Amino acid sequence: MSKKVLIVSTSIRKGSNSEIMAREVERGVLEAGNEVEFVSLAGREIGFCRGCLACQKTGSCVIRDGMGALIGKVREADAIVFATPIYYYEMSGQMKVFLDRCNPLYISDYKFRSVCLITASAEEGDDVAERAARGLQGWIECFPKASFGGLLSSGGVTGPNEAADREELMAAAREFGRQV
Ligand SMILES: Cc1cc2nc3c(=O)[nH]c(=O)nc-3n(C[C@H](O)[C@H](O)[C@H](O)COP(=O)(O)O)c2cc1C
């Protein structure tokens, strides 16, 4: 049966390497016969979680902003793929804010069973992306029906659009998408 895959691209820069990788993953998802929705956080107003925990009583957030259009997509997806630049050896701040703002889902039912991560960084080395993956895994542990679905990382990409020239990376991204 076809899966609904949500891709959340969290870099807000033009020519984002992680987004280029995510677009190739999207192609792979479609090739595998699955449905995909691609969401970029660029241009969206998403405020910090205020920690009021009202959502744990009401199931919805008190903040009325860009997250309102996205939280339902997270709840209804069968698989979620996050794409992030590495900032100071971690996921981007905007991705972390997004995860925090998914707090209403903590008390709700949710469909996602697999959560994957794409990272782009200047530095090479497995450890760079693994720290961000560990951060995401902490979030996943709070949704016990879901598990970590895999990591696609690229070091050696600093300036915008550099990922596009890496043929092997693009092929790996497509294959990653087929396996989501
Ligand atoms: C604030 C900031 C912090 C960064 N920290 C790191 C880092 O810790 N390690 C690293 O390898 N690259 C770091 N970079 C470089 C980015 O990860 C790299 O440019 C990446 O390609 C950006 O992905 P994007 O094009 O999808 O935004 C940093 C960039 C910025 C702007």
Side-chain angles (χ1 to χ4, degrees), residues 21-88:
M21 293 161 74
R23 283 290 182 194
E24 212 58 24
V25 167
E26 179 185 33
R27 288 176 71 183
V29 170
L30 291 170
E31 281 169 5
N34 291 314
E35 283 173 53
V36 69
E37 181 159 15
F38 195 104
V39 163
S40 166
L41 299 192
R44 295 179 192 268
E45 296 288 328
I46 299 178
F48 298 133
C49 172
R50 295 179 191 161
C52 67
L53 293 176
C55 62
Q56 300 305 289
K57 291 190 188 120
T58 64
S60 60
C61 186
V62 296
I63 307 170
R64 300 278 174 253
D65 65 3
M67 199 62 197
L70 301 179
I71 189 111
K73 297 182 194 297
V74 177
R75 185 190 292 112
E76 296 305 320
D78 298 306
I80 307 166
V81 180
F82 288 103
T84 184
I86 294 295
Y87 287 170
Y88 291 102

Side-chain angles (χ1 to χ4, degrees), residues 9-21 83-90 92 94 118-125 128-129 131 154-163:
S9 174
T10 72
S11 176
I12 60 168
R13 82 166 169 176
K14 287 212 162 55
S16 154
N17 292 310
S18 53
E19 181 151 322
I20 289 167
M21 293 161 74
T84 184
I86 294 295
Y87 287 170
Y88 291 102
Y89 296 96
E90 254 294 358
S92 62
Q94 50 275 26
I118 299 168
T119 69
S121 61
E123 211 177 307
E124 308 267 8
V128 182
R131 292 197 210 185
S154 174
V157 285
T158 307
N161 292 310
E162 287 181 10

